[in-house]
Amino acid sequence: NIEIKGKIGEGNFGSVWKAFWQNEKMDVALKTMENLNDFTKEAFILSQLLHPNIVKYCGIYEEKEIKYIVTEFISGGSL
């Protein structure tokens, strides 16, 4: 279960929210995107990357028909 805490950023393609992932006991970032095609592409690309300098992809979360890309939360940085 994920508890959304508040919006931390917004850009041309979507918004980013800070949340707490209760099952994993960790803060995460949730990204929404208006274009489903862009959302699918970004989620796929992030799922293929594994590098210490790239934010870690944790999965997809859906709530109230809104889909979120879930990544680790990096404070003081940008996604």
Side-chain angles (χ1 to χ4, degrees), residues 42-57:
E42 184 161 337
F44 175 76
I45 290 168
L46 283 172
S47 73
Q48 303 301 303
L49 300 174
L50 183 59
H51 190 277
N53 296 331
I54 298 175
V55 68
K56 180 183 171 193
Y57 172 80

Side-chain angles (χ1 to χ4, degrees), residues 3-4 11-12 17 33 49 71-72:
E3 175 189 346
I4 298 173
N12 290 334
W17 303 79
M33 299 176 76
L49 300 174
T71 64
E72 68 179 326

Side-chain angles (χ1 to χ4, degrees), residues 12-78:
N12 290 334
F13 299 104
S15 301
V16 180
W17 303 79
K18 182 177 181 180
F20 183 73
W21 189 0
Q22 295 171 351
N23 292 351
E24 298 296 321
K25 296 179 179 46
M26 65 186 270
D27 285 327
V28 292
L30 304 178
K31 183 173 184 180
T32 61
M33 299 176 76
E34 302 219 358
N35 183 309
L36 183 59
N37 191 41
D38 290 341
F39 176 92
T40 303
K41 285 180 186 177
E42 184 161 337
F44 175 76
I45 290 168
L46 283 172
S47 73
Q48 303 301 303
L49 300 174
L50 183 59
H51 190 277
N53 296 331
I54 298 175
V55 68
K56 180 183 171 193
Y57 172 80
C58 299
I60 294 175
Y61 174 69
E62 187 171 353
E63 179 179 87
K64 299 179 185 174
E65 298 181 22
I66 300 173
K67 291 183 180 179
Y68 300 94
I69 295 172
V70 183
T71 64
E72 68 179 326
F73 177 76
I74 306 294
S75 64
S78 64

